[in-house]
Amino acid sequence: MYDVLIIGAGPAGMTAGVYTARAGYKTGLIEVGVPGGQAATTDLIENYPGFPTGISGSELMLKFFEQTQTFGVEMLYEHVQSVDFHGDIKKVTTNNGTYEAKVVIIASGAHPRTLGVNNEGKFRGRGVSYCATCDGFFFKDQPVAVIGGGDTAVEEALYLTKMCSKVTLIHRRDQLRANKMAQSRALANDKLDIIYDTIVDDIIGTDKVSQLSLSNQKTGEKSILDINGVFIFVGYLPNNDFFPPELDVDPQGYILTDENLATNISGVFAVGDVRAKKLRQVTTAVGDGGLVLHGIENYLH
Ligand code: NAP
């Protein structure tokens, strides 16, 4: 029996663990992969305070993890399959058994959206990627495309210019959504081309990706782009496989919380990217992880 059981060891879940364990609550933290979540696959994090020259996502997440261990958070490297949130004692079932807790914090994060174009699934891992730091090196000195116009697409495209011969960013509108600093860096980078108003119709190849078939949304003009890899960054979806039907979520599936990060189910809280919020960053995940303790203490007392 745990006081607090946290599902997901990204920055939000790990911060929540540090806070609850440090406050004296017996805390378990369930993680199916490596601690750190999406932040751990980010090359350089420049907007997390305390690191004036930036820090790699994996290094920052290792520090977060070490801090959970300092305060005695128990790690459970397991896959959550189902939950039972009826009653005062919550139950979480993993591939290894069922755990009980007075409080559950859902910190399961989000995963990249797919583009939904022809051959995307077929070429996943053979030219189609959703992680530049994981796969960029496979395209050293080769041309690649990046799809999307948000912070992730532009920042990852900039990262890819360090190793790829050329990076073509393809965005469906005539204006990028990314922050101004990333935009000006992109415009100043001569290894990065931006194609606006354009969508991908098809990913072409035999055993690996070799071309993209594109169409201009304004002119209707079709074109072919020769590339060896395509990195897709068109937003994220919540990791919600195990959510019970009675949990309130928004139309995209993100968990609705009140200002104490409590969900509509008493004793169940949500933090980080998995909850409906305006800004998904490490700083806001960390803010959630700290704030949730306040709601938990109110609930338990
Ligand atoms: P995002 O902000 O939701 O942007 C997704 C991009 O993909 C948009 O440009 C969107 O186009 C495009 N898109 C969506 N569906 C598409 C489709 N079917 N075909 C073509 N394009 C499509 O996602 P994100 O960039 O991954 O960022 C997610 C969150 O993380 C944001 O809150 C972001 O600020 C944050 N983030 C911050 C940083 C940072 O602060 N350094 C870094 C990374 C991420 P439209 O613009 O036309 O909608």
Side-chain angles (χ1 to χ4, degrees):
M1 165 74 97
Y2 289 94
D3 292 320
V4 179
L5 200 48
I6 304 168
I7 302 174
M14 290 198 283
T15 305
V18 166
Y19 271 70
T20 57
R22 188 168 174 272
Y25 296 111
K26 180 176 160 64
T27 301
L29 178 49
I30 308 177
E31 170 58 52
V32 66
V34 176
Q38 293 183 87
T41 64
T42 303
D43 172 46
L44 182 67
I45 297 180
E46 280 184 310
N47 55 1
Y48 190 76
F51 300 93
T53 55
I55 181 166
S56 84
S58 56
E59 201 182 335
L60 183 62
M61 289 304 102
L62 184 59
K63 289 178 187 288
F64 275 46
F65 174 71
E66 286 168 356
Q67 206 161 352
T68 66
Q69 300 310 288
T70 304
F71 293 107
V73 174
E74 287 179 32
M75 290 302 299
L76 303 160
Y77 292 102
E78 295 168 27
H79 181 213
V80 173
Q81 290 171 337
S82 64
V83 293
D84 178 355
F85 291 156
H86 299 102
D88 285 345
I89 303 302
K90 315 297 174 197
K91 295 190 178 70
V92 175
T93 300
T94 71
N95 55 303
N96 197 35
T98 297
Y99 299 94
E100 293 184 335
K102 294 176 191 162
V103 164
V104 170
I105 304 174
I106 302 174
S108 51
H111 62 275
R113 277 188 55 202
T114 56
L115 195 53
V117 295
N118 195 30
N119 286 331
E120 184 176 359
K122 175 178 163 190
F123 289 127
R124 189 173 186 147
R126 286 184 293 149
V128 172
S129 171
Y130 304 86
C131 178
T133 46
C134 317
D135 299 329
F137 188 76
F138 296 124
F139 303 97
K140 192 170 186 307
D141 300 326
Q142 297 171 40
V144 297
V146 171
I147 317 299
D151 284 332
T152 309
V154 175
E155 291 185 358
E156 299 302 294
L158 283 165
Y159 168 74
L160 288 166
T161 61
K162 293 187 208 168
M163 63 207 76
C164 299
S165 57
K166 184 172 176 186
V167 178
T168 306
L169 182 77
I170 299 164
H171 182 39
R172 64 181 176 182
R173 285 188 299 127
D174 59 0
Q175 260 188 335
L176 296 173
R177 183 185 287 277
N179 68 78
K180 294 287 174 241
M181 179 176 286
Q183 286 197 33
S184 34
R185 284 179 183 167
L187 294 172
N189 189 315
D190 53 15
K191 283 175 88 182
L192 181 57
D193 279 354
I194 306 179
I195 302 180
Y196 294 99
D197 296 318
T198 297
I199 60 163
V200 177
D201 288 330
D202 199 359
I203 301 173
I204 302 165
T206 43
D207 56 332
K208 312 188 277 195
V209 173
S210 58
Q211 291 179 320
L212 294 180
S213 154
L214 307 175
S215 60
N216 185 296
Q217 295 287 84
K218 285 192 174 150
T219 63
E221 190 189 330
K222 305 267 182 199
S223 59
I224 294 288
L225 182 71
D226 293 326
I227 39 92
N228 291 350
V230 53
F231 289 81
I232 297 169
F233 300 112
V234 292
Y236 290 87
L237 292 170
N239 292 325
N240 57 6
D241 299 355
F242 60 87
F243 289 5
E246 64 273 20
L247 184 65
D248 280 352
V249 296
D250 74 3
Q252 285 76 44
Y254 290 100
I255 301 173
L256 296 167
T257 58
D258 67 11
E259 72 275 15
N260 289 325
L261 310 184
T263 70
N264 64 307
I265 301 174
S266 86
V268 178
F269 295 78
V271 296
D273 282 7
V274 76
R275 77 178 186 91
K277 64 196 302 198
K278 293 271 185 280
L279 185 63
R280 294 193 168 86
Q281 302 207 336
V282 179
T283 48
T284 61
V286 163
D288 283 3
L291 179 62
V292 75
L293 177 63
H294 176 70
I296 289 171
E297 296 211 299
N298 279 347
Y299 171 75
L300 287 176
H301 296 153

